[in-house]
């Protein structure tokens, strides 16, 4: 069983507490706001009303047996850096911290953060591709070079088999599955003879560029290149 500590119940910390409270993990929360700690007290293993800035306080409530620590101290940039460093000294192996900027994130990594979360940037990276394409219905970046998306096929490929579509060879896309427009139930494709339909939504995997290139609108090539460039700049910021 994992033990997870959430230090600071800002908007990100609260969302993590909500998501983890239904799991079988042992959940520890720390925040100096009595009201918000009381709100989550019954849903977690241990709840502490305390200012997490002090290293001695952290040592009392956080042991090195904690598997993951999540830090969300809102706009308190210096505080999140200090707490991250304290947890690193305690021996916490995985430290996830919410950052306000790239500069803040770089400092957090230097003092011990193993993963930095940029909520606003992550939301933008998820939404921008869908805004730029009418054929893209959902988008999830997994890494800088790999993404998963829900797309519609091109009209020219409607009625073709998977083999005839040459999605992998010509576009660098691998179909993971599909579902009907009026259903969310994903079905797998087991044969290259499967016939593609414009009435289906396909779950595909590929690079960000390959997905954007395939789902580009009927804009001019120049406008499309501008869109791709904007997307690349946004995605590669962190």
């Amino acid at each position: 069983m994992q033990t997870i500590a959430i230090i600071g119940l800002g908007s990100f910390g609260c969302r993590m507490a909500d998501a983890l409270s239904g799991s079988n993990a042992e959940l520890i929360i720390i925040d100096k706001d009595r009201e918000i700690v009381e709100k989550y007290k019954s849903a977690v293993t241990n709840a502490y009303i305390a200012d997490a800035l002090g290293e001695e306080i952290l040592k009392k409530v956080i042991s090195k047996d904690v598997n993951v620590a999540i830090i969300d101290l809102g706009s308190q940039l210096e505080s999140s850096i200090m707490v991250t460093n304290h947890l690193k000294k305690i021996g916490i192996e995985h430290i996830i911290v919410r950052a306000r900027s790239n500069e803040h994130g770089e400092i957090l990594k230097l003092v011990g953060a193993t993963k930095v979360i940029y909520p606003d940037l992550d939301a933008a990276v998820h939404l921008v591709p869908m805004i730029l394409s009418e054929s893209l219905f959902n988008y999830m970046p997994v890494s800088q070079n790999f993404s998963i998306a829900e797309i519609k096929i091109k009209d020219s490929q409607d009625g073709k088999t998977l083999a005839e579509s040459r999605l992998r060879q010509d576009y660098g896309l691998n179909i993971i599955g599909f579902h009907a427009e009026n259903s969310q139930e994903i079905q797998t494709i087991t044969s290259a003879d499967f016939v593609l339909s414009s009435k289906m939504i396909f779950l595909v995997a590929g690079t960000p560029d390959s997905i954007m290139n395939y789902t580009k609108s009927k804009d001019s090539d120049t406008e499309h290149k501008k869109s791709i460039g904007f997307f690349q700049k946004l995605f590669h910021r962190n």
Side-chain angles (χ1 to χ4, degrees):
M1 179 183 295
Q2 281 196 319
T3 301
I4 301 170
I6 300 177
I7 302 164
L9 292 169
S11 57
F12 174 65
C14 286
R15 288 192 179 95
M16 293 302 296
D18 289 333
L20 290 166
S21 61
S23 69
N24 63 352
E26 289 188 358
L27 191 58
I28 301 168
I29 60 170
I30 306 170
D31 197 282
K32 61 183 179 180
D33 187 324
R34 178 180 295 274
E35 185 177 344
I36 198 165
V37 171
E38 290 292 338
K39 176 183 175 182
Y40 285 96
K41 187 176 181 179
S42 62
V44 302
T45 308
N46 291 299
Y48 300 94
I49 303 168
D51 189 337
L53 284 182
E55 187 173 359
E56 292 305 314
I57 292 175
L58 283 175
K59 285 181 178 179
K60 288 179 181 179
V61 299
I62 303 291
S63 73
K64 61 182 179 181
D65 294 328
V66 167
N67 302 104
V68 181
I70 299 166
I71 303 171
D72 179 14
L73 296 173
S75 60
Q76 303 174 51
L77 308 186
E78 184 178 344
S79 299
S80 62
I81 292 167
M82 290 175 61
V83 171
T84 300
N85 191 36
H86 291 336
L87 292 174
K88 183 69 174 178
K89 290 178 181 177
I90 291 171
I92 306 304
E93 187 174 352
H94 300 291
I95 305 172
I96 301 170
V97 194
R98 180 182 187 270
R100 292 288 300 276
S101 66
N102 286 347
E103 292 76 14
H104 183 209
E106 289 304 316
I107 296 171
L108 289 167
K109 290 175 184 176
L110 286 174
V111 298
T114 53
K115 184 172 180 60
V116 176
I117 303 297
Y118 303 86
D120 294 339
L121 177 59
D122 291 344
V125 168
H126 178 80
L127 289 172
V128 164
M130 291 185 285
I131 293 172
L132 297 178
S133 174
E134 296 178 355
S135 301
L136 188 60
F137 298 92
N138 204 350
Y139 182 85
M140 184 180 71
V142 178
S143 70
Q144 289 188 349
N145 297 310
F146 184 77
S147 297
I148 296 173
E150 285 185 318
I151 68 169
K152 269 199 168 185
I153 59 167
K154 296 178 179 292
D155 291 341
S156 60
Q157 293 174 320
D158 186 19
K160 289 186 176 180
T161 65
L162 179 59
E164 292 169 339
S165 72
R166 294 182 58 84
L167 279 172
R168 180 182 297 175
Q169 297 91 330
D170 295 345
Y171 299 97
L173 297 179
N174 291 293
I175 292 184
I176 300 172
F178 74 97
H179 64 82
E181 287 182 319
N182 59 351
S183 171
Q184 293 299 313
E185 184 178 351
I186 300 291
Q187 301 180 54
T188 58
I189 297 174
T190 58
S191 171
D193 294 326
F194 179 87
V195 178
L196 306 182
S197 170
S198 59
K199 295 182 179 180
M200 299 172 181
I201 305 295
F202 292 90
L203 187 64
V204 300
T207 66
D209 283 354
S210 64
I211 292 172
M212 288 298 290
N213 185 58
Y214 184 81
T215 59
K216 67 182 178 181
S217 64
K218 295 181 181 179
D219 295 336
S220 69
D221 187 56
T222 300
E223 290 301 313
H224 175 60
K225 287 179 180 177
K226 287 181 181 179
S227 296
I228 289 291
F230 174 72
F231 169 68
Q232 289 176 325
K233 181 179 178 181
L234 177 71
F235 187 82
H236 291 292
R237 279 182 60 194
N238 64 332

